[in-house]
Amino acid sequence: MRAELDAVVVGSGPNGLAAAVTMAAAGLRVHIIEGAPTIGGGCRTEELTLPGFWHDVCSAAHPLAVASPFFRRFDLAARGVALARPEVEFAHPLDGGRAAIVTRSVAETSARLGVDGPSYQRLFGPMAEHTDEICDTLLAPLRKLPAHPLVLADYGRRAVLPASAVARRWQTEEARAILAGAAVHAMMPLTAMPTAGIGLMLVLLAHGVGWPVVTGGSARITDAMADAVTASGGTIETGRWVRSLAELPSADTVLLDVSPRTFALLAGDRLPVRYRAALGRFRYGPGVCKVDFALSGPVPWTNPDCRRAGTLHLGGTFEQVAAGEAEVAAGKHPQHPYVLVVQPGVADPSRAPAGRHTLWTYCHVPSGSDVDMTDRIEAQIERFAPGFRDLILARAVRTAADEEAHNPNYVGGDIGVGMQTIRQTLFRPVARWNPYRTPIRGLYLCSSATPPVPGVHGRCGELAALTALRDMFGLRELPDISPAQLRPIVSAHTAR
Ligand SMILES: Cc1cc2nc3c(=O)[nH]c(=O)nc-3n(C[C@H](O)[C@H](O)[C@H](O)COP(=O)(O)OP(=O)(O)OC[C@H]3O[C@@H](n4cnc5c(N)ncnc54)[C@H](O)[C@@H]3O)c2cc1C
């Protein structure tokens, strides 16, 4: 019997939307079902605190979107999505008014690192010249051979190491702090492999493509993707949580932008016992406690260069940051946590009324924590920006438990949907030749629990959709997702 639809996508995060964009561009009839009242998943913007203050609810800094081969072809700029670029990509303040400052220029960044400058230049200079090739490989399916193996070799031999091993090459607190702050995005102790890989990749992205925010807010990205889907005749339904595959409209293909845990619940005993057990063994990481602030003015960072940074990593020296993360891994709430800060107003004044600012912050906490870390986050900001508390007009807090309640993909508040261990980087979520394909014919997993990595780049969704197009519709060509291409819908049966 003929299916009502060619493809149903459950979840409208960047990966669900990328899958839908790809299927729609192939001329297929696509329907998206989203549980939350609005689309966008981890890429949304709302007035969380006061009217006129627009906060990124989840993702805020977008190096991966700029680096993504999917978004390069989708062409955000041509679709009216403007990136706002701070003068300093990220900063890491230290006590005594010092700070490590990372700009697009490797030479400028190295020049501030004293005796470590030449070594920093030797490490990142050659890699930054090949950012596109490295990013294309890192954001490609893992079983694909790298197009530029030599370029990757230098990155790869260090990437598998713990950040603590790579940081040993530097003596200055500034150089070591740069790696610590970037590597902690892995949400693992800095003595764990492959935290160096995550840290080096993020520093490389700062030099190669920058860490921009989106003018008007991250939601502009997912809005543009949703517009592309509907312009191709696709449909989107919000406010409907899917509890079982049996609830879905009939379709040749289903793509799930959900966590492995939700996937197991939706599919129930339709999944073979071994595959279900493998999904059950998938390990989630710690959670985050996020605090958004409405401020009466810019943050008064002691170090003036920090006032020009889009993103800041707080927590002090490598050792202090590492100690905080080790506590989180041991199930504790650190008194002095590593705090990730984005101040979009330095590049995008549209986020708040004139002269006012929004501030986006979070720190890591044990999985499932319901502890409000506001005081400890504020104390870390005050440490490097005395007088900060006097500027606070309003706050919005979301504990790790709240994160999961808000989006079930973030199990225990784990915004990466799964630990970034070497095993779970190579085999995500289970060991299969094609990780997007599931044992149920026509059913694909497309969330950030699949390769390549978490973040707003759309590649998990796109690669899952390309698998589905090949398997179910016999389509092998990459659909044209450029803005010029508005395909009329044809049925799956015509496309075949
Ligand atoms: C606080 C925070 C900060 C972040 N910061 C950054 C950043 O600065 N830069 C960056 O690149 N990335 C960042 N990320 C990560 C990034 O947001 C995610 O990796 C990305 O959104 C993953 O996309 P996705 O489509 O796989 O999943 P999601 O964006 O999580 O979307 C999944 C969607 O599926 C829906 N859904 C789930 N289950 C069901 C169901 N049963 N029925 C119906 N709908 C369902 C959810 O409601 C959600 O809308 C951050 C994430 C968080 C939470």
Side-chain angles (χ1 to χ4, degrees), residues 41-179:
C43 198
R44 287 176 304 122
T45 308
E46 290 175 13
E47 287 172 307
L48 292 177
T49 52
L50 298 171
F53 288 79
W54 292 94
H55 303 271
D56 286 328
V57 180
C58 301
S59 57
H62 291 288
L64 287 166
V66 184
S68 164
F70 171 83
F71 280 119
R72 289 208 299 267
R73 283 182 277 108
F74 184 69
D75 198 347
L76 287 168
R79 295 175 190 271
V81 182
L83 297 176
R85 294 188 172 277
E87 290 169 27
V88 172
E89 305 304 332
F90 69 85
H92 191 123
L94 294 162
D95 291 326
R98 292 171 301 137
I101 301 296
V102 176
T103 65
R104 279 295 288 280
S105 159
V106 179
E108 188 185 358
T109 305
S110 315
R112 296 168 182 264
L113 295 176
V115 292
D116 289 329
S119 158
Y120 186 95
Q121 172 76 45
R122 275 196 305 279
L123 179 62
F124 288 109
M127 281 199 275
E129 282 169 24
H130 296 282
T131 312
D132 279 0
E133 293 97 314
I134 295 179
C135 290
D136 281 0
T137 303
L138 294 178
L139 294 177
L142 285 170
R143 62 187 198 283
K144 193 170 169 241
L145 284 176
H148 303 272
L150 290 179
V151 174
L152 261 190
D154 205 35
Y155 168 81
R157 74 192 165 87
R158 294 187 179 89
V160 292
L161 299 172
S164 55
V166 173
R168 264 183 229 130
R169 67 188 276 141
W170 293 312
Q171 300 164 38
T172 61
E173 287 190 343
E174 283 81 357
R176 292 164 60 78
I178 289 175
L179 185 62

Side-chain angles (χ1 to χ4, degrees), residues 186-268:
M187 298 175 77
M188 290 195 294
L190 295 182
T191 47
M193 297 188 296
T195 45
I198 310 274
L200 293 173
M201 180 180 83
L202 289 172
V203 178
L204 176 63
L205 287 172
H207 293 307
V209 299
W211 283 27
V213 296
V214 177
T215 304
S218 298
R220 298 284 166 93
I221 294 179
T222 34
D223 286 349
M225 297 170 88
D227 286 350
V229 173
T230 51
S232 303
T235 44
I236 302 178
E237 182 183 356
T238 54
R240 177 178 166 194
W241 293 105
V242 176
R243 316 257 175 226
S244 156
L245 294 180
E247 292 171 16
L248 296 177
S250 117
D252 290 321
T253 306
V254 173
L255 294 121
L256 299 176
D257 185 12
V258 305
S259 71
R261 192 179 69 176
T262 301
F263 171 36
L265 288 172
L266 296 185

Side-chain angles (χ1 to χ4, degrees), residues 345-422:
V346 300
D348 174 18
S350 76
R351 300 291 186 97
R356 313 253 156 145
H357 283 258
T358 61
L359 195 75
W360 174 110
T361 72
Y362 71 67
C363 72
H364 300 157
V365 289
S367 176
S369 160
D370 61 0
V371 174
D372 176 347
M373 297 287 281
T374 304
D375 279 351
R376 293 179 231 193
I377 288 177
E378 288 181 10
Q380 283 289 44
I381 303 175
E382 277 282 332
R383 173 178 169 192
F384 303 107
F388 161 72
R389 278 199 172 108
D390 300 338
L391 303 175
I392 300 171
L393 301 172
R395 308 168 173 84
V397 183
R398 192 171 270 168
T399 66
D402 297 334
E403 288 289 351
E404 178 176 344
H406 161 81
N407 180 346
N409 281 28
Y410 304 141
V411 176
D414 171 11
I415 64 174
V417 194
M419 286 184 101
Q420 304 279 306
T421 57
I422 289 190

